[in-house]
Amino acid sequence: MEPKKAARQTIGFRELAPYVRLVQHIAGDDRYRLPPRIIYDYELKFVLEGRCDYVIEGVHYAIGPGDMVVLQPMVRHSCAVPPNGTFRYYAAHFDLIYMGDAYNFSVDDVYLSQDYVHSPFIPDDPELAERPVVSLAEVDFPCVVSTSDPVAYEALFRSLYAAFESGEYGRELSMRGDLLHVLALLVRELSTPAGISIRHPQRERIGRAVQWMQAHYRSQLQLSDIAASVHLSPSRFRALFKEATGQSPMEMLLSIRMDKAKELLLHSTLTVGQIADEVGYPDLHYFSRLFKRCEGLSPLQYAQSLRARFS
């Protein structure tokens, strides 16, 4: 039975604060299997040795050393080790943010108590199947990533597992830091330095649009101006840009302008009004409202706090 569709929420990198629920280091032989199931949080599996055949939402994946399996909430999957094979991996279950006690659950009851060897499938938990699903706006994780630096991932998972097993006070902070580092490495695997998905068929065109915005951010730009720079209609360009970056073009432009404004606030002698004009906002009050919405401080407060820190 398919799970009831859960509520969905999207967060950005700034809101990302992973809550690590379970970390495992597992080794198995060809008796290892995972019958069809869904999970209710995220799981990363980083393969150290051996092979495994995964089926995720009906698609087959042959998994080997250095591969990262990314299992998202409510996605049906199964796996088995080929005959005479072995399989060793690290795994981490987590939420992208802590969703409160009402949505927390026991891994012992939900995951560790299941009979994965003999069960034909793992029944869905109807209550957990209605947990909200939180996803990242800036990146769409594929089911499998062939990592470019397995040594770095292995070191992070080793540290993550050691912290989980230690039971020490404050281990949550160490685990969150390690997992954030893992996610940062994955994001770099999947995106260009401008934040464009490397899998998107229009990534080069979107990249040219980002470069054009970086060169013209001082001007009074409309969506139609940016779209015209890469010879697309505004509606088509907006859709492609969102697919490739997880942001709208105007959100990206705002980010470019705010980053430049912060640089000028810290390293120049320009007034706030001059900086506003320099980054494309001749209306000082509008610029100040946008800046405070993005940074939580007014431009003047931001400048004063940083200058006091670095003076």
Side-chain angles (χ1 to χ4, degrees), residues 6 38 40 74 103-106 110 125-132:
I38 61 172
Y40 308 98
M74 316 305 168
Y103 290 114
N104 205 0
F105 60 89
S106 164
V110 176
D125 185 310
E127 291 187 9
L128 289 176
E130 295 183 25
R131 288 184 94 229

Side-chain angles (χ1 to χ4, degrees), residues 13 31 42 75 78 85 90 102 109 115 125 143-144 162 170 190 192 194 196 227 247 251 254 261 268 289 291 299 311:
F13 288 152
R31 292 169 293 181
Y42 284 83
V75 171
S78 62
Y90 283 113
D109 295 339
D115 182 359
D125 185 310
C143 295
V144 179
L190 300 172
T192 70
I196 302 164
Q247 303 179 72
E251 287 170 338
L254 174 63
S268 80
R289 288 198 303 273
F291 192 96
S311 60

Side-chain angles (χ1 to χ4, degrees), residues 16-290:
L16 178 59
Y19 170 66
V20 180
R21 183 170 282 110
L22 173 67
V23 185
Q24 298 170 292
H25 183 193
I26 293 179
D29 54 23
D30 57 4
R31 292 169 293 181
Y32 177 95
R33 65 184 294 272
L34 189 64
R37 67 164 186 172
I38 61 172
I39 56 175
Y40 308 98
D41 52 6
Y42 284 83
E43 183 182 17
L44 294 180
K45 285 187 174 180
F46 179 67
V47 181
L48 301 167
E49 299 173 2
R51 300 283 172 182
C52 189
D53 294 321
Y54 253 92
V55 177
I56 305 174
E57 290 290 314
V59 179
H60 178 266
Y61 300 89
I63 308 301
D67 286 340
M68 183 79 75
V69 181
V70 183
L71 297 173
Q72 302 195 37
M74 316 305 168
V75 171
R76 200 165 300 281
H77 59 276
S78 62
C79 73
V81 174
N84 303 314
T86 60
F87 191 45
R88 187 167 70 90
Y89 64 89
Y90 283 113
H93 279 267
F94 62 97
D95 289 321
L96 295 180
I97 55 174
Y98 184 66
M99 295 191 285
D101 292 346
Y103 290 114
N104 205 0
F105 60 89
S106 164
V107 292
D108 290 327
D109 295 339
V110 176
Y111 296 144
L112 302 182
S113 63
Q114 303 289 346
D115 182 359
Y116 293 111
V117 174
H118 302 102
S119 298
F121 65 93
I122 304 300
D124 301 342
D125 185 310
E127 291 187 9
L128 289 176
E130 295 183 25
R131 288 184 94 229
V133 174
V134 180
S135 59
L136 280 172
E138 292 92 342
V139 63
D140 182 20
F141 291 110
C143 295
V144 179
V145 178
S146 295
T147 65
S148 59
D149 189 359
V151 173
Y153 285 99
E154 182 174 359
L156 287 167
F157 272 98
R158 189 186 310 118
S159 175
L160 184 61
Y161 180 68
F164 180 81
E165 288 289 299
S166 73
E168 293 178 353
Y169 178 73
R171 65 176 181 162
E172 294 86 357
L173 302 177
S174 297
M175 293 190 297
R176 177 173 291 178
D178 287 335
L179 187 57
L180 279 171
H181 199 165
V182 169
L183 293 173
L185 290 180
L186 281 175
V187 167
R188 291 177 197 144
E189 303 264 16
L190 300 172
S191 306
T192 70
I196 302 164
S197 170
I198 61 172
R199 298 180 297 143
H200 197 280
Q202 295 284 343
R203 63 184 178 277
E204 292 185 4
R205 175 175 276 184
I206 299 301
R208 292 198 302 273
V210 173
Q211 291 175 343
W212 191 89
M213 282 190 280
Q214 291 170 333
H216 296 86
Y217 67 88
R218 298 177 182 86
S219 304
Q220 300 300 296
L221 300 180
Q222 303 296 325
L223 175 63
S224 57
D225 301 319
I226 309 171
S229 74
V230 289
H231 311 293
L232 289 171
S233 70
S235 59
R236 177 62 174 157
F237 174 67
R238 184 194 295 110
L240 288 175
F241 198 96
K242 183 77 171 180
E243 288 175 1
T245 68
Q247 303 179 72
S248 72
M250 302 313 286
E251 287 170 338
M252 175 74 81
L253 178 61
L254 174 63
S255 179
I256 291 169
R257 286 170 164 171
M258 291 299 113
D259 285 345
K260 184 61 178 179
K262 288 186 288 186
E263 180 184 334
L264 292 173
L265 284 165
L266 183 59
H267 297 296
S268 80
T269 58
L270 298 177
T271 67
V272 173
Q274 289 171 324
I275 291 172
D277 192 60
E278 177 69 15
V279 299
Y281 297 110
D283 185 333
L284 171 59
H285 298 294
Y286 180 59
F287 166 73
S288 296
R289 288 198 303 273
L290 284 177

